[in-house]
Amino acid sequence: MLALIPLLPFAGFLVNATMGRRLPKAVTGGLASAVMVLSFLLAVMQVWSLAAMPPESRQINQTLFTWFTAGDFSVDLALRLDALSAVMILVITGIGSLIHIYSTAYMHEETDEAFGRFFSYLNLFCFFMLMLVLGSNVLVMFVGWEGVGLCSYLLIGFYYEKKSASDAAKKAFVVNRIGDFAFLLGALLLVVTFNSLDFTTIALAAKEMPVEVTFGTISLITLLLFIGATGKSAQIPLYVWLPDAMEGPTPVSALIHAATMVTAGVYMIGRNAVLFEHAPITLQVVAVVGAATALMAGTIGLVQTDIKRVLAYSTVSQLGYMFLAMGMGAFGAGIFHLMTHAFFKACLFLGSGAVIHALHGEQDIRKMGGLKKHIPITYWTFVIASVAIAGVPGLAGFFSKDEILFETFLHGHQVLWVVGVLTSLLTATYMFRLVHLTFHGEERFGAVEHGHGHDDHGHAPASTSAPQHPSTSAPQHAHGVHLHDAPAPMAFALIVLAVGSILAGYVGVPHALGGHNNLGAWLEPAFQATNCGAPVTTGELAGIAIAECPPGEAAEGAEDHASLELSLMAVSSLVAFAGIGLATFLWLKRKDLPAQMATQFSGVHKLLLNKYYVDEVYDATIVQPIKVLSQEGLWRGFDVKIVDGAVNGAGYFVSGVSIVLRLLQNGSVKTYAAAIFAGAVTILASYFWR
């Protein structure tokens, strides 16, 4: 049953990849969505079975076969479901299913070939992500890790005939390979250190080792693994690929940013929690990089004008929050925010797709406005998700974000807490700037004409001929613009995600509010070094059985800090409302002020608008030197002059010799007679000389 969870999307990929272009779109999209829904139902059944087990033995293992063996080192193709992977598979299959359903309408106007190709890639993406989170050892995880990298390349560059899309795909692929190289080095160092790649074996061995106060082997391993995470989860310095990933179709952005690829780095740290706890120096690096990324991306999000790029930088910023939690050792808080973020960020991206869909391809928020009354379903779901990500009390983002800020303050990192609060202010501000410029104020989309628009990437609008939602018939604007709300499949996904954006946080209500952090209690055993009585089967600890298991309760002493937590909640809530109020004042009440501020602080505005020139710096210091070295040094210098010179020189030598030699065989009797005469003279001359 466990293996079927990833295998069902893989089966959908095989069918659509081989026969998708010959099948009706309803069959192609229906099949891709159905296998994801079935995978979700199987995941629910497996998690239900897991929940029925005692907390000390919540683990389901399935070894498919032994992958390879070398001496006493062996690796199995094995899957493991525990509390951590249970949360991940529910997020991946649940939200992934909604994105698939949404896509059946959004991509409806694509050709049969493109439609089938899109859904085959989408299914393959989910297969690899499920393998990543279900793998019981580093190598199985790495297969999924590389697989999602491949699928991101395919989906970001889905419109490969468009140069910007193909460039963005290559950028994502190359940047991720940099991080993956470090990840691979870390995995090899794990083999050298522990003679195993099994997560349980590594955790048990690491538990017996002292915490590295100074930088040591475990610190090096975890740092290499974290560099891999900065690539996958778009943290400084390898975050630059993620905003460009907007070149893919909007459902791809939702899938990558909410449920799959970018969460892989956060999950990887949680899976190796014991290892990271023994490397406090690395944890400090994780926390600082996370906080810095959150703040930097938040400032860039303030000035972006593309609706999807605002959300892209929001994702980078929220991932920074997750890494801040991981760096504090608050692994449960990081996974909690990962889960809630999946709901409201998927809702926001799919909502942006519905806006683009309604405006027939327009993505510039300066050319929107006044959409509230025309697309009410999109509007209300988008607002709910925006309120959730802003951290307003009562919605999902409030609970998870406040837990991260509380843990940061509790661990004595007040500077990072201030950075987190400031990021929260930026989040609320840029999100409601986006809401106001898109849905409120005067209408600025009069130039959009029905039937002449295009979607994100130059193709026909996603579903102009798709069935409309019963309550969203397309009204005709006074200027002749026809607007339509999300069709039924898209509306369904948006509504479910909006409900999740409200309710998802209630699985982790803190003690300070009279609740119980059920998610924290559920996850706690997954972050401990235990195999709950089962003997280890690989590595140096083979045969050892550990009887003690964590009780599965949240950290004790939470009640002792209730007053502090309530105070911090009050601060972050005020900050959220302040951000919303500031955005309302600047972009709804005094709409002239942002332009004046941009002029007055033109240097800062230009810096943010150009994203701190990081891409330009990378281009000048890395890309261009490599191009020059490749073209002038390796190509024209080494390849042309040395390699080609040696090969061509051999050819010229043979050619020159052959020119001389073939004079002896030219078919002329006179030449032959002259040659004989010359030879005879030479022989006689030599004889008389001697």
Side-chain angles (χ1 to χ4, degrees):
M1 293 285 285
L2 193 58
L4 284 176
I5 296 174
L7 286 177
L8 280 168
F10 187 69
F13 156 72
L14 290 177
V15 173
N16 280 329
T18 55
M19 297 186 293
R21 69 179 64 188
R22 295 188 292 274
L23 295 173
K25 289 180 181 177
V27 175
T28 301
L31 173 66
S33 302
V35 294
M36 285 303 301
V37 172
L38 286 173
S39 183
F40 172 68
L41 294 176
L42 280 176
V44 171
M45 292 170 59
Q46 290 289 330
V47 174
W48 189 269
S49 300
L50 197 70
M53 299 177 182
E56 65 273 9
S57 58
R58 281 184 180 143
Q59 196 173 117
I60 299 173
N61 297 280
Q62 183 177 9
T63 301
L64 301 178
F65 53 84
T66 299
W67 195 339
F68 63 85
T69 301
D72 62 345
F73 177 75
S74 66
V75 176
D76 294 331
L77 184 57
L79 307 178
R80 182 176 75 179
L81 181 67
D82 64 357
L84 176 58
S85 53
V87 174
M88 296 301 297
I89 63 171
L90 290 177
V91 169
I92 295 164
T93 58
I95 295 181
S97 296
L98 294 173
I99 293 171
H100 276 71
I101 294 169
Y102 176 101
S103 300
T104 58
Y106 190 87
M107 302 295 290
H108 185 73
E109 292 301 313
E110 295 292 338
T111 64
D112 291 345
E113 184 276 333
F115 195 80
R117 179 163 56 90
F118 176 81
F119 279 99
S120 67
Y121 291 168
L122 225 55
N123 277 166
L124 186 64
F125 205 134
C126 292
F127 162 72
F128 278 123
M129 190 65 195
L130 288 167
M131 290 299 295
L132 190 157
V133 300
L134 287 172
S136 69
N137 58 66
V138 177
L139 195 55
V140 177
M141 171 187 274
F142 190 67
V143 170
W145 190 274
E146 290 300 294
V148 294
L150 166 66
C151 292
S152 69
Y153 169 78
L154 296 173
L155 285 167
I156 294 169
F158 182 75
Y159 300 112
Y160 54 85
E161 294 179 349
K162 184 180 179 185
K163 188 177 186 302
S164 58
S166 60
D167 286 347
K170 287 183 287 187
K171 184 176 183 180
F173 194 81
V174 170
V175 171
N176 272 277
R177 295 295 74 70
I178 296 169
D180 294 353
F181 180 69
F183 185 99
L184 189 58
L185 291 177
L188 293 173
L189 197 52
L190 282 172
V191 175
V192 173
T193 306
F194 300 104
N195 194 37
S196 177
L197 288 174
D198 181 76
F199 290 123
T200 301
T201 304
I202 292 170
L204 291 171
K207 185 179 181 180
E208 303 304 317
M209 300 171 71
V211 174
E212 292 186 346
V213 180
T214 58
F215 197 86
T217 303
I218 295 181
S219 298
L220 179 58
I221 292 171
T222 51
L223 185 61
L224 288 169
L225 294 177
F226 174 61
I227 293 172
T230 62
K232 276 289 177 290
S233 297
Q235 298 296 286
I236 294 172
L238 300 179
Y239 70 94
V240 291
W241 68 271
L242 194 61
D244 289 0
M246 299 301 96
E247 290 291 338
T250 302
V252 172
S253 304
L255 189 63
I256 292 176
H257 287 242
T260 57
M261 181 170 168
V262 296
T263 63
V266 181
Y267 167 79
M268 184 272 295
I269 293 179
R271 176 53 73 206
N272 293 284
V274 176
L275 208 59
F276 276 83
E277 283 180 334
H278 281 69
I281 295 175
T282 302
L283 282 181
Q284 290 181 14
V285 173
V286 172
V288 171
V289 168
T293 304
L295 182 61
M296 184 195 69
T299 58
I300 297 174
L302 277 174
V303 300
Q304 295 299 304
T305 56
D306 185 305
I307 186 171
K308 289 171 65 178
R309 282 187 176 265
V310 175
L311 299 177
Y313 282 104
S314 170
T315 299
V316 176
S317 182
Q318 295 303 306
L319 287 166
Y321 258 111
M322 298 175 207
F323 279 102
L324 173 60
M326 293 306 197
M328 293 296 108
F331 304 110
I335 300 300
F336 186 18
H337 196 55
L338 182 156
M339 187 267 289
T340 59
H341 176 264
F343 282 97
F344 50 72
K345 186 50 62 68
C347 187
L348 288 168
F349 265 112
L350 297 185
S352 72
V355 171
I356 296 167
H357 179 270
L359 294 176
H360 309 292
E362 184 57 68
Q363 294 183 211
D364 192 334
I365 57 177
R366 295 169 298 183
K367 299 178 182 178
M368 297 180 185
L371 290 173
K372 174 182 176 181
K373 61 180 178 292
H374 299 294
I375 47 175
I377 293 176
T378 302
Y379 169 72
W380 286 110
T381 54
F382 198 95
V383 167
I384 289 170
S386 299
V387 173
I389 195 175
V392 171
L395 279 79
F398 165 76
F399 296 105
S400 57
K401 188 181 293 185
D402 272 50
E403 185 176 351
I404 294 173
L405 293 174
F406 170 63
E407 292 285 353
T408 303
F409 194 92
L410 195 63
H411 282 78
H413 294 276
Q414 281 78 19
V415 173
L416 296 182
W417 177 81
V418 171
V419 172
V421 171
L422 182 57
T423 303
S424 183
L425 175 66
L426 292 171
T427 302
T429 304
Y430 67 65
M431 282 310 305
F432 275 83
R433 167 184 177 264
L434 183 62
V435 169
H436 294 323
L437 290 178
T438 304
F439 295 101
H440 298 147
E442 70 276 8
E443 298 174 356
R444 302 182 297 275
F445 49 84
V448 181
E449 296 181 3
H450 179 67
H452 298 285
H454 298 278
D455 71 359
D456 319 8
H457 304 283
H459 290 255
S463 59
T464 50
S465 61
Q468 298 295 313
H469 192 277
S471 63
T472 58
S473 57
Q476 183 170 351
H477 184 259
H479 298 294
V481 179
H482 294 262
L483 298 176
H484 52 84
D485 210 341
M490 294 167 61
F492 170 75
L494 289 171
I495 292 169
V496 173
L497 290 169
V499 172
S501 300
I502 298 172
L503 301 178
Y506 288 92
V507 299
V509 177
H511 292 276
L513 294 178
H516 177 68
N517 192 343
N518 293 301
L519 184 66
W522 168 266
L523 287 170
E524 191 65 25
F527 304 131
Q528 304 297 320
T530 176
N531 60 348
C532 298
V536 185
T537 57
T538 60
E540 297 177 355
L541 300 180
I544 297 177
I546 304 299
E548 295 182 0
C549 292
E553 294 297 328
E556 296 180 2
E559 296 86 349
D560 300 338
H561 305 287
S563 59
L564 173 63
E565 188 169 6
L566 287 172
S567 301
L568 295 177
M569 282 182 184
V571 172
S572 62
S573 298
L574 289 174
V575 166
F577 285 118
I580 295 172
L582 180 62
T584 303
F585 176 74
L586 289 176
W587 286 283
L588 207 57
K589 303 298 182 183
R590 289 291 307 276
K591 290 177 283 188
D592 58 314
L593 280 181
Q596 293 178 16
M597 294 171 65
T599 303
Q600 186 174 357
F601 303 100
S602 58
V604 176
H605 182 261
K606 187 177 180 181
L607 182 68
L608 297 180
L609 201 60
N610 288 280
K611 303 159 289 186
Y612 294 100
Y613 296 97
V614 173
D615 281 299
E616 288 78 2
V617 171
Y618 281 173
D619 186 68
T621 59
I622 299 175
V623 177
Q624 294 305 322
I626 289 176
K627 287 176 67 175
V628 171
L629 176 64
S630 300
Q631 292 178 353
E632 303 301 328
L634 297 178
W635 174 34
R636 292 192 176 93
F638 182 77
D639 192 30
V640 174
K641 293 182 179 179
I642 298 177
V643 177
D644 289 353
V647 174
N648 295 336
Y652 291 142
F653 173 76
V654 173
S655 177
V657 171
S658 67
I659 290 172
V660 175
L661 292 178
R662 71 171 172 255
L663 293 176
L664 301 176
Q665 296 289 338
N666 62 1
S668 172
V669 176
K670 290 181 179 181
T671 302
Y672 296 159
I676 293 171
F677 177 77
V681 170
T682 302
I683 293 171
L684 289 172
S686 175
Y687 174 76
F688 286 122
W689 178 263
R690 292 181 182 177

